[in-house]
Amino acid sequence: MNCLSLNVRGIGVDVKVNWVRKLRIFHKSNFIGLQETQLTHHENLDIAACWRDQDYDYEGVDSDGRSGGLVSIWNINCFQKKEIGINGDTILANIYGPHDIGDQKILWWNLKSIKRSKPCNWVLFGDFNAVRRRDERFNSIFCPASASAFNKFILDAELRDFSMGGEKFTFMARVGAKLSKLEMFLACANFLNAFPSIVATAHTRELSDHSPITLISQDTDFGPPPFKLFNSWILKAGFYNTVHMAREIFIGYGSPHSYLAAKLRYLKGEIKKWKKQSDKTENQEILRIKDDVTQLERLAEFRQLTETELATRSQGLQRILELEKIAILDLKQKSRVKWTVEGDENTKFFHGYKWKK
């Protein structure tokens, strides 16, 4: 079972939807829990774009204005929605905890009561908006009463906190660089015994101030992507020169049809070489930016960042956002790149293009 949890901090834009899909594909998740969707009507969310494949189902809870909101999506080949409470079933609870300590105590009591009434294998995950220990906050106010109530709930509900790798803190405020570990997975002993090798990880924050967290019990492997020509490539440095030089340098023989086919193959090969180098350069830029942002966030765990450092982090996140927008344009074009035929036998129009390897 591979589970992805993310406080997305609003998912009303294509960039966030694309990010969720990329995370789901990369981690090969068969269950996604999103918190703080900020959608007053969760049915308006493009679930298919978040998931990509066909075999899915979902449930959601509308937000109160721009506060809260939950959406859970799962692979119907792995999970089935049914009346829960039967021994052997597993309950995955997507949680977005309140900020107020009084409201937190009410939630903990309700969750504990529900769990006792449903004798299943329980996994609770999400943004609990509470920490267990003082060292799970930095440059942020620690509330002993909140932590005590949260720990009592975990103990009384007979849950266990996963030892989570990756990021030390799952939340970093964009203003003031306050850090907290608000996201986690909690599970009952039966579930842990059934999945002894399962691993919880907090990943790098990118388009949200919260880290995506995963619970993974299998490896991820993907094949090579297909070769297609996207509009965004035309705007990148070196593309025009690559096409121009390929056209000038190519030497071919044979019939016009054979000559054209050979020239197109040569052009495709040169574009693939350019694209490989362009991707390498772009990936190096992204890795450098992410490394700079990560280093600043690590530094923020020990001292307050300067105005210059905060500006550098903000600019880095903005650049990542720009590159994500380009990726979205490519994905939208990819969805349209299909050969279709319209009209009768005498009048046919072909739309799109796709080069075969």
Side-chain angles (χ1 to χ4, degrees), residues 240-252 259 263 266-267 270:
Y240 175 80
N241 288 337
T242 298
V243 175
H244 178 73
M245 292 298 296
R247 185 186 64 184
E248 296 295 324
I249 294 175
F250 175 76
I251 299 176
Y259 177 87
K263 189 170 186 177
Y266 178 77
L267 176 59
E270 293 300 301

Side-chain angles (χ1 to χ4, degrees), residues 7-78:
N7 182 324
V8 73
R9 289 301 296 270
I11 195 169
V13 294
D14 289 343
V15 172
K16 292 288 185 71
V17 171
N18 181 54
W19 184 38
V20 170
R21 180 176 60 251
K22 288 173 61 178
L23 288 171
R24 184 253 165 179
I25 294 172
F26 181 79
H27 296 295
K28 208 171 184 179
S29 305
N30 44 43
F31 193 102
I32 297 177
L34 303 177
Q35 306 92 42
E36 208 169 354
T37 59
Q38 299 178 3
L39 296 174
T40 54
H41 300 286
H42 70 271
E43 298 89 352
N44 295 335
L45 176 61
D46 190 350
I47 301 294
C50 290
W51 192 259
R52 192 187 73 167
D53 296 332
Q54 299 292 325
D55 299 335
Y56 68 87
D57 198 357
Y58 75 99
E59 286 287 354
V61 177
D62 295 337
S63 68
D64 182 7
R66 289 187 58 81
S67 175
L70 295 169
V71 169
S72 296
I73 317 170
W74 59 89
N75 186 333
I76 60 176
N77 295 316
C78 299

Side-chain angles (χ1 to χ4, degrees), residues 263-277:
K263 189 170 186 177
L264 288 175
R265 283 196 299 270
Y266 178 77
L267 176 59
K268 183 182 72 172
E270 293 300 301
I271 291 177
K272 291 178 69 174
K273 292 178 185 177
W274 164 83
K275 184 61 170 59
K276 183 177 180 180
Q277 182 59 44

Side-chain angles (χ1 to χ4, degrees), residues 233 236-237 272-284:
W233 298 3
K236 293 185 178 183
K272 291 178 69 174
K273 292 178 185 177
W274 164 83
K275 184 61 170 59
K276 183 177 180 180
Q277 182 59 44
S278 178
D279 284 348
K280 181 179 179 180
T281 302
E282 192 171 280
N283 289 336
Q284 288 174 345

Side-chain angles (χ1 to χ4, degrees), residues 52-119:
R52 192 187 73 167
D53 296 332
Q54 299 292 325
D55 299 335
Y56 68 87
D57 198 357
Y58 75 99
E59 286 287 354
V61 177
D62 295 337
S63 68
D64 182 7
R66 289 187 58 81
S67 175
L70 295 169
V71 169
S72 296
I73 317 170
W74 59 89
N75 186 333
I76 60 176
N77 295 316
C78 299
F79 301 95
Q80 291 183 348
K81 182 175 59 176
K82 57 185 293 187
E83 173 61 29
I84 55 179
I86 303 173
N87 287 329
D89 287 354
T90 297
I91 296 179
L92 299 173
N94 184 6
I95 308 295
Y96 178 61
H99 294 273
D100 180 76
I101 183 174
D103 293 335
Q104 288 177 354
K105 289 181 178 180
I106 294 174
L107 176 62
W108 307 151
W109 187 89
N110 288 334
L111 286 173
K112 183 169 59 177
S113 299
I114 295 172
K115 180 179 181 297
R116 287 176 175 173
S117 69
K118 306 288 185 180

